[in-house]
Amino acid sequence: MQMLLGGERRGSRANARIEIRNPSDGDVIDEVPNASDEDVDDALRTAVAAFPRWAATPTHERSEILARGARRLLDEQEQLATLLARENGKTLHHARGEIASAARLFEKYAHEALRLYGVNVPGDFEAGYERDLIITRRYPYGVMVAITPFNFPVSLFSTKVAPALATGNVVIAKPSEETPLSTLRICELLHESGVPAEALQVLTGGGRRIGQRLMASPLVDLVSFTGSVETGQQVATQRARSITPTHLELGGNDPMIVCADADIDLVIEHAWFGRTLENGQCCAASKRFIVERAVSDDFEQALVERLARTTCGDPFDERVDLGPLINPGAARRTEEQVASTLAEGAELKVGSGKAHAAFFEPTMLVGVTAQMAIARDLEVFAPVFPVLRVDSVDEAVAIANASTMALHASVFSRDVGKAIAVAHRIDGGLVAINGTGLYKPDAIPFGGWKTSGSGREGLLGMASQYTQEKTIAVRNVLG
């Protein structure tokens, strides 16, 4: 089992180790243990044994510990951001923002835990219960497994782990085998801040094997998974027998609908930002640009000009907008997706359509039609902009809803009333009006419809997602 104690990593029983490479140049920056099946089982037994003590820790003490951890993250923001950018390839600017976001989340969840109140139910709501004292209280589930992807390893770790720990659950974290280093360091800081090592463990290594063993265990009480639709379906199938809560945040092929009366400059600003964040590898990014024909020429020309000013290169160069994808395989996969879309009849307007090691330059596809895979369920995890021209808002909504995924969406129009009416008709967990679908304040429920997932993350969902409710009734005690 790999636990973090005193800043040192305990190695796995398995001799195999996994190299962590910098996506920009392929250099090895570190290596981590490839946890064995025995390590997984040890972690589970340790978590079960640690749960009673952590759950019994007064909420105000847990809150103080996590708030202290948040301050430690800010103290090491630059070092953590550098580590994150090296292992992930995102720009240093975005990495700094992700560390700041993680610290903010730990602090907010620490404070929110102090407000998880029960209720007093008056017994006189029904004849025969007038003298009863009825109260409710919330309790942690127990052992939570948090599985996080490569694209936002720090912020998604914080989104899952902070509320779980704050409410008294213990956590086994399984970061992506591509990007475990920043997670490991943050766990060390949390341990140093007072979180017991047994209450927060990390398993590194092969995701499929470790994940399957965790999902098969009856010792797991709660699962929070972010990843692909296909893997999410496997997780849901494995956990179905246990009837334990399983939160899934999966893929998206999010539509951006551009109405004929939209402010094109505003549209381009949000389209560019939303599709280049995390080098185009964001589940809630706009991935289908559905534009009314009356403004499609203006939209395409403005996007061409904006992409021409986009720089791609070393993520540590402050002038660079885009770094590499997570690895060369991801870039080759994007090249294949673009090629298949061109074979269906689309045209390449910007970009070469070719991978260069792990890099894939901003790419714009025009002439995309509703029948093409990229207009429905082909999720491209790269800075690719497929543009569909439509004759009406009704046609745009039909295309938007044709995907089996429904995470986020956005609508741009100067007529806010019309945009709200369109938003009501679009499938998805969130629709942003005159803003990117990446809209995600900490408090709001985050999650999708259809195959994009189940459950909601965010401060508003903390009680329902991470605690279970119990009613306690004392009969005939009141005068």
Side-chain angles (χ1 to χ4, degrees):
M1 172 178 55
Q2 181 186 345
M3 291 198 304
L4 307 184
L5 296 171
E8 296 178 357
R9 300 178 193 171
R10 284 187 179 175
S12 161
R13 289 194 186 94
N15 293 324
R17 297 178 72 83
I18 294 178
E19 292 179 338
I20 309 303
R21 295 181 178 272
N22 185 331
S24 295
D25 53 24
D27 287 350
V28 176
I29 57 178
D30 204 345
E31 59 178 28
V32 296
N34 188 8
S36 67
D37 290 348
E38 292 80 5
D39 294 328
V40 175
D41 295 343
D42 275 355
L44 287 164
R45 286 190 292 268
T46 298
V48 170
F51 171 61
R53 179 184 172 192
W54 182 244
T57 302
T59 303
H60 69 86
E61 291 185 17
R62 294 197 304 264
S63 177
E64 290 168 3
I65 289 170
L66 295 182
R68 189 158 55 242
R71 293 191 292 272
R72 292 295 306 278
L73 264 63
L74 288 179
D75 290 342
E76 288 201 13
Q77 181 179 9
E78 194 64 20
Q79 300 95 310
L80 287 167
T82 299
L83 182 61
L84 175 58
R86 289 185 69 202
E87 67 174 339
N88 170 274
K90 66 179 63 190
T91 64
L92 188 58
H93 169 71
H94 285 153
R96 291 189 186 109
E98 187 168 345
I99 302 303
S101 171
R104 187 180 69 245
L105 286 166
F106 267 97
E107 183 176 21
K108 286 186 176 180
Y109 279 113
H111 293 159
E112 188 67 19
L114 300 174
R115 293 189 284 271
L116 293 184
Y117 307 132
V119 298
N120 176 15
V121 182
D124 60 0
F125 67 89
E126 186 175 338
Y129 301 96
E130 293 88 350
R131 299 184 58 228
D132 294 355
L133 175 64
I134 309 168
I135 61 171
T136 68
R137 187 172 179 179
R138 307 204 73 92
Y139 296 83
Y141 280 98
V143 177
M144 186 186 89
V145 170
I147 301 178
T148 52
F150 72 84
N151 54 348
F152 291 96
V154 172
S155 63
L156 289 174
F157 169 86
S158 305
T159 298
K160 301 176 189 302
V161 173
L165 291 175
T167 50
N169 297 283
V170 295
V171 179
I172 298 174
K174 171 60 186 76
S176 166
E177 58 212 83
E178 304 273 5
T179 56
L181 301 180
S182 50
T183 297
L184 288 168
R185 181 55 187 152
I186 287 173
C187 286
E188 288 176 338
L189 294 175
L190 291 171
H191 292 159
E192 292 167 10
S193 299
V195 177
E198 294 80 9
L200 173 59
Q201 302 176 77
V202 185
L203 289 168
T204 58
R208 176 171 296 183
R209 177 180 52 80
I210 296 173
Q212 287 179 346
R213 194 162 188 88
L214 287 169
M215 293 305 98
S217 174
L219 301 180
V220 174
D221 302 298
L222 177 64
V223 172
S224 183
F225 170 85
T226 298
S228 69
V229 172
E230 294 76 17
T231 305
Q233 290 169 333
Q234 294 170 13
V235 169
T237 299
Q238 282 189 284
R239 295 308 299 171
R241 289 183 179 274
S242 67
I243 324 264
T244 54
T246 302
H247 309 149
L248 304 172
E249 199 277 283
L250 309 177
N253 201 19
D254 297 3
M256 174 182 284
I257 294 177
V258 182
C259 299
D261 61 348
D263 179 339
I264 296 301
D265 290 339
L266 179 67
V267 171
I268 296 301
E269 174 189 343
H270 284 275
W272 180 86
F273 171 77
R275 199 65 183 110
T276 57
L277 181 67
E278 179 47 34
N279 306 330
Q281 301 166 117
C282 182
C283 58
S286 300
K287 300 187 181 79
R288 297 177 290 161
F289 300 87
I290 308 170
V291 186
E292 281 202 87
R293 202 172 299 277
V295 291
S296 56
D297 286 342
D298 293 340
F299 173 85
E300 290 182 6
Q301 182 58 37
L303 185 55
V304 168
E305 294 171 1
R306 184 64 188 89
L307 294 181
R309 302 194 306 272
T310 302
T311 56
C312 187
D314 180 2
F316 285 90
D317 186 334
E318 299 284 359
R319 299 166 297 178
V320 164
D321 300 309
L322 280 172
L325 302 186
I326 189 60
N327 54 44
R332 289 192 298 271
R333 184 162 54 252
T334 302
E335 180 179 313
E336 293 169 358
Q337 291 173 321
V338 169
S340 68
T341 305
L342 296 176
E344 289 183 276
E347 300 176 20
L348 194 64
K349 186 82 169 182
V350 174
S352 66
K354 301 296 182 183
H356 305 281
F359 288 87
F360 201 89
E361 62 189 323
T363 300
M364 180 178 172
L365 300 172
V366 298
V368 177
T369 66
Q371 292 72 38
M372 295 180 184
I374 202 169
R376 293 177 285 109
D377 290 333
L378 180 63
E379 182 183 16
V380 180
F381 236 44
V384 175
F385 297 75
V387 182
L388 296 87
R389 297 189 177 204
V390 295
D391 293 317
S392 67
V393 170
D394 288 344
E395 183 183 358
V397 171
I399 293 173
N401 291 343
S403 175
T404 61
M405 294 175 278
L407 187 52
H408 282 190
S410 57
V411 179
F412 284 81
S413 171
R414 286 186 170 91
D415 185 339
V416 175
K418 178 178 75 174
I420 292 174
V422 173
H424 279 297
R425 298 167 58 194
I426 298 174
D427 296 339
L430 177 143
V431 180
I433 294 173
N434 292 331
T436 174
L438 288 179
Y439 186 83
K440 192 185 176 186
D442 297 334
I444 69 169
F446 175 76
W449 291 10
K450 298 181 177 177
T451 61
S452 286
S454 61
R456 292 293 181 270
E457 295 177 333
L459 288 166
L460 286 178
M462 180 178 182
S464 61
Q465 298 284 356
Y466 292 93
T467 64
Q468 49 195 336
E469 192 170 39
K470 179 186 291 184
T471 301
I472 298 174
V474 184
R475 299 302 313 271
N476 300 310
V477 71
L478 299 178

